Amino acid sequence: MFFGQKIHPLNFDVPERLIIGSETVELTGPGVQLRVRCADIAEGCLRLRFDNAAVADLFQHSDAVLPEGREGQPVAAQREAETALFAARAGRVELGAARLRLELAGFTLETVAGGIGACGPALLLNFAIAAVDGCYGFGERTRRLNKLGDSADCLTVDVVAVFRHTYARDDYDPTYVAIPWAILSGNGRFLGLFFDNPGRAIMDAGKIRPDEFIYQSFDGVTDLYVLAGPSLAEVVRRYAALTGRGPLPPLWALGYHQCRWGYQYEAEFRELAAQFAAADVPVSALWYDIDYMDEYRLFTWDRVDFPDPAALNRDLQAAGIHAVTIVDPGVKREPGYAVYDSGREPAVFCQTASGREYVGKVWPGDTVFPDFTRQSARDWWADWLADFLRENAVDGVWLDMNDPATGYSRTEEMRFAHGAIPHDRYHNQYAHFMARASRQACEQLDPDGRPFLLTRSACAGTQRYSAVWTGDNASNWQHLRMALPCSLNLSLSGVAFNGPDVGGFMDDTSAELLVRWHQACCLFPFFRNHSSRHSRPQEPWQFGPGPLAAIRGAIRTRYRLLPYLYQCFFTHWRDGDPMIRPLLYHYAGPEYADLDDQYLLGDALLVAPILHGDGQGPERVRHGIKHAQRSVVLPPGVWFDLNRGGWVEGGRTIQYAAALDELPLFARDGALLPYYAGPLRNRLMDLRAIELHLFCRDQSVNYDYVVDDQTTRRYLSGAYGIAQITAAIDSERLRVTITETGDSPRDRVTFTPVLYGRPDVRELELTINGRTVIRPLQADQREWLCQAWPVRI
Ligand code: GLC
C-alpha cells in the first residue's frame, strides 16, 4: 500500500444489529462483528475499546498509556430503545448499531450515519465535524497547525529515504513520529480523541470528505480514549496525565547544542570548544555523529581519529561542555564483533517468521536489530550502553535511525518475540522501546541523575523516556516556517521537549536564514544547530561578524531566560502544560485558530520571529537599515515590547519591522520573567542569583518560582521548594512579596526585582518571608531606562 492511501469508507461493512450485554455491546452485521466496552479511566477521561472479531491477535500491544490508565473501571451498558448507553463519570456515550455519540464537558461529537465499520481487521470510525472549527495535535506533522482539511498517515518512516524528492518541500505526510491523537475544537470548547492502536492508522480531518473526521486502523485492538475539555489546556493536560509527562532534564540540556554530521577528529572538537569561547557564544554540548565509530560499529570509537575519547570528553566537561553521542539500533552483523556475538546466544535480535535473524542494510552494511520489546533485550542493551557511556565519559544519548530505518531491506520481515509477533504491532513503537532501554541504561549508570536522551522516531508516550527532534529538515525558508506548527503540534501531543535542526540539516543555509532560524527557535524547548556533511558549515561564526552578533544575541537571550525556561519545564512535568504553546492555548477567538507563525513560551512571553528572507516579504527601511516586517497578533491587554522598550496596546494586529539582529518579543502585562544576569560560561553558570523581571502596567504579578537542585531526580519525591511571588504597584511604590514554602529554598536563590515600563515608580517594598525592607529602586532595577532588551545580553 502506498503512503496516503486509505480504505475507501464505502469498502467497510457496517453493523446492523446491537446486542447489549452487561458490560459489552456487540455490533454485528454481514462481514462485521465488533465488541465495544466502556471504562472510566480518570477524571475527564473515558475509554471505548473496540475488538474486531476479524483481528487475529486481540492483545493490546501499545505501551502508550501509563499503567494506571490501562485498567479503568468498567461502565455498565444500559439499554435505551435501540441504543446502548454508557453513563461514564467523564461523560455520556450512546452507541447504536452503527452510530456513536459522545458528550463530554459540553462538547458533543457524533458519527455520521453508518459511521462505524469493519473491513476485515480494519476499523472505521467516522465522525461528523461540520460544527468543528479546528483540529490540532496529530503528533509531528508537516504543514499547518490547524489540521482541519488535512490528514495524517500514522506510520513512522525514515522520511528522507522514503521521500527523497520531496523532502525540501512540505508535501510529504508520514514523519518519524506516529501519534494518533486529535484535538477538536468547536464553539470555544475542545475535545481530545486518542486512538490507542500502535499499528498503522489514518486520521483524516475533512480532507477526503469535507465535514467528516475519519479514523481508520488497519489491524489490532483500538482503544479510543476520549478526553474532556472544555479548554485546550485541560485536554492537553489530561492527555499528558494519560501517556506521561516528560521528566525534568538536566539543566545543561536546556542550553545551546552544536552538532554536525562530519565532525570527525578529536582536534575538531577541541577547536570547536575554543571557537565558541573565542566567539563569546555559550554552548552546552558538542555532539558526535556517526563518524566517531569504528566503521559504524556500535559502542566503539575510531581510535585513530579519537585516541582517548574519555580524556577528550573530560576536558570538554572541564570547560562546561557536555558530550552527546549518536547511537543507532543497527548492530553490524559481523561474527567476531563483540556486540554482535554477545547478542546472538541470548537471541536478542529481531527474527523473521521462520526464526532467522532479520537483516537490514544501514551504515555498517548488513545489520541486525535488537528486539527492544523484550525486557531481556533491553537489559542486554542497557548493559552495553551504560558501559559505553561510563568508559567514554559521555553525558547524553542521541537515538537515530530507529523508525526503524533498514535501508533497502523491507521492514515487514522484521518480527518480534522470536518471530512470533508481526512487524506492524511494534513498527511505530520500535524507537519507543529503544528509548526505554536507553533510559534504563542511564538510570543504571546514575540512579540519582537526570538522563538526557534525544530520539528521532517516537510514538505516544515516548516523552516519558526521551526528547524528540523533528528529523532531517532542509535549509530553506519553508522548512523554517514549518518548524513552528510542527513543534507546536508535537507539544500539544505530549512530546513537549522537542525542536528542529536549527539552520536546516540538508542543503546550504545562508547568513540570513541561519540568523532567523536561531531567533525563531532560541526559545524552543530543544535548541540544537545540526547540519549534514554535504551542506556548508553553519556554526554561529561561519558567516562573519554581523550574522555572528545576531546569532549570539539569540543564543544569549535563551541563556538569560534559562530560569524561565526551566520553570516552564517544571510546569510541564507537574501539570502537563507544554513549554511552547500556540496562542489558542490561552486566548479564545477565531484569529488564533490558524495562527502558527508566532508562539508563547509559558503563558507570559510572546515570540513572533521573522520567517521570511530579504525580498520575500514586507520590508521597511528604518534609520537607513533594512528591516523585515511581519504582522503580530497581540491578544487583549497591554504588552511590553522587549526590543523597543515600551508598552503596546493589544487586542489587535500590529506590523512589526525587525532588523537582522532583532527578534520581536513581547511580555504580557502581569508577567514575571525570571532572568539570569550573571556571566555566561557554557554550563558553568550560577543560577542562584535570579532577577525577577516584572511587567506591571495595569496588572499585578502572581508567580510560583520552583527551586530544586536542578541535577538529581529528588524532585520526583517532592524535594523542591516554591517561592510564591507577588508584585503590585501602589502609587509610587513597587511591593514585592516572596514567601518560600516546601523543601526550604531559602538561601539557595537570591531574588532581585527589576521593573519595566513604570518610570513613575521610585520605591521598592520587598518582603521576604515576612521581613520587609523599603528602599529606593536602583537605576538598574528600572529597566525602563534602557533602550533595548535584554540589556546584559
Ligand atoms: C540521519 C539523522 C541525521 C544524522 C545522519 C547521520 O540522517 O537524521 O541527524 O546526522 O543520519 O548520522
Side-chain angles (χ1 to χ4, degrees), residues 624-636:
I625 299 169
K626 208 186 245 186
H627 287 54
Q629 185 171 301
R630 58 159 295 160
S631 52
V632 180
V633 178
L634 284 178

Side-chain angles (χ1 to χ4, degrees), residues 261 289-290 326 363 398 400-401 456 469 471-472 501 505 528 530:
W261 176 17
D289 206 321
I290 48 174
I326 199 167
W363 306 116
W398 174 17
D400 189 25
M401 305 296 273
R456 185 168 77 174
W469 100 99
D472 297 346
D501 283 345
F505 177 71
R528 182 186 70 160
H530 180 40

Side-chain angles (χ1 to χ4, degrees), residues 85 87 102 142 217 232 285 293 313-314 345 362 376 390 401 405 485 496 571 588 663 706 736 754:
L85 184 74
L102 305 165
T142 58
S217 69
L232 175 57
M293 289 183 256
N313 290 336
R314 284 198 200 99
E345 178 54 34
V362 203
S376 55
R390 184 189 308 107
M401 305 296 273
T571 305
L663 166 63
V706 177
V736 179
V754 173

Side-chain angles (χ1 to χ4, degrees), residues 668-671 695-702 726-729:
R668 70 164 166 74
D669 189 12
F695 300 85
C696 305
R697 201 192 74 167
D698 306 328
Q699 302 289 326
S700 52
V701 164
N702 239 313
T726 61
I729 289 168

Side-chain angles (χ1 to χ4, degrees), residues 570 573 707-708 713-721 741-744:
F570 191 91
W573 168 73
V707 184
D708 76 336
R713 285 220 286 280
R714 283 173 226 146
Y715 71 96
L716 293 168
S717 44
Y720 56 85
T741 62
D743 182 30
S744 171

